[in-house]
Amino acid sequence: MIDWRGTALGVLRGIRTGPAVTYGLIAACCLLFIVSPVSGLNPAHGTGDEVLAAQSAYFRRWGVVPAELMRGDPDALLTPFTALFVHGGWLHLLGNMLFLWVFGAMAEERMGHVEFALFYLGTGYVALLGYAMAHADSEQTLVGASGAISAVLGAFLFLFPRSRVTSLFPFLFFLPLRFPAWAVLVFWFTLQWLAARTAGSGPGVAYLAHVVGFSVGFLYAWVRFRGGDRVKTPAAATEGDSQP
């Protein structure tokens, strides 16, 4: 017989002592996506043209529209926060949540729950604002947590450069290979920067938001933890090996 009460208490105890903010952010993003018209799982949004109209209205209401934000519209000022919890599809959601799960836990452990929550929301806002400033005339809606998650990656690079991550590369037939975190994250940032130089303001991936978020996250960690709180020893850095 399964002791459900004991199991539940164990889960709650793990949340209290573990990366509660990281788990909470993942849960919030997933739950909001499931009930949204984007998931296709909520019959209340209808089908066909009805669900397409609902999706368009959903993105417009909760996403960032750079032109509106740059005009200082009161309703638009909060959208960089709400857009962090809105995703454009299943792959968009799962990709972001995977990176948050892999890198968020160790960053939260280093920063603490409250500081990590404020860091996530603040850097996410700045990342989306940076994109909006660069495309001030764009009416294209911007959604997703990738700006904030990019900041987490930047902070992780400074805090845990010697940790090792297992990565899958398509051009290597998806073989799982282990590399130092600094090599993987620098390579990832370089790809985002190169893509941002050629990307426009139309539909697609907002690479510039990734670049801004990563840079702000790294700078925050450098200013906040350069005095000695950074993980320096190989043993300590490899305790939380990551597998994106």
Side-chain angles (χ1 to χ4, degrees):
M1 182 175 181
I2 299 176
D3 182 5
W4 293 107
R5 181 177 179 182
T7 302
L9 289 175
V11 171
L12 292 174
R13 190 177 301 110
I15 292 176
R16 287 197 300 269
T17 58
V21 174
T22 298
Y23 293 159
L25 290 170
I26 293 174
C29 287
C30 291
L31 289 174
L32 290 174
F33 180 81
I34 289 173
V35 301
S36 77
V38 187
S39 69
L41 300 178
N42 191 341
H45 299 295
T47 59
D49 292 340
E50 289 181 339
V51 72
L52 292 178
Q55 290 174 3
S56 179
Y58 177 70
F59 291 141
R60 191 81 185 184
R61 174 65 181 85
W62 302 110
V64 173
V65 179
E68 296 179 359
L69 182 60
M70 290 297 97
R71 285 198 301 265
D73 293 356
D75 291 340
L77 295 178
L78 290 178
T79 55
F81 287 129
T82 59
L84 295 176
F85 298 90
V86 178
H87 290 84
W90 283 99
L91 289 179
H92 189 201
L93 172 73
L94 296 177
N96 277 345
M97 295 305 99
L98 175 62
F99 272 86
L100 179 56
W101 176 68
V102 169
F103 294 100
M106 291 177 65
E108 180 180 349
E109 180 182 359
R110 179 60 48 183
M111 294 182 185
H113 302 315
V114 175
E115 182 177 354
F116 180 76
L118 295 175
F119 166 84
Y120 183 91
L121 294 175
T123 55
Y125 192 105
V126 171
L128 297 180
L129 178 62
Y131 179 91
M133 292 176 64
H135 303 285
D137 297 326
S138 175
E139 295 286 342
Q140 183 68 39
T141 306
L142 179 64
V143 297
S146 53
I149 295 171
S150 297
V152 173
L153 301 185
F156 190 98
L157 174 60
F158 181 83
L159 295 172
F160 307 102
R162 299 180 184 178
S163 64
R164 301 183 69 84
V165 296
T166 301
S167 301
L168 303 176
F169 293 94
F171 55 85
L172 294 177
F173 304 102
F174 294 97
L175 292 175
L177 302 174
R178 291 175 61 76
F179 298 95
W182 69 264
V184 174
L185 293 176
V186 168
F187 176 73
W188 179 89
F189 176 78
T190 302
L191 291 180
Q192 306 306 303
W193 179 74
L194 291 174
R197 297 183 62 187
T198 58
S201 59
V205 180
Y207 293 105
L208 181 59
H210 300 176
V211 172
V212 173
F214 188 96
S215 302
V216 172
F218 183 88
L219 289 174
Y220 176 88
W222 178 71
V223 172
R224 172 70 174 82
F225 296 99
R226 61 177 175 171
D229 290 334
R230 182 186 184 189
V231 174
K232 296 180 178 179
T233 62
T238 56
E239 287 176 357
D241 284 0
S242 306
Q243 298 183 3

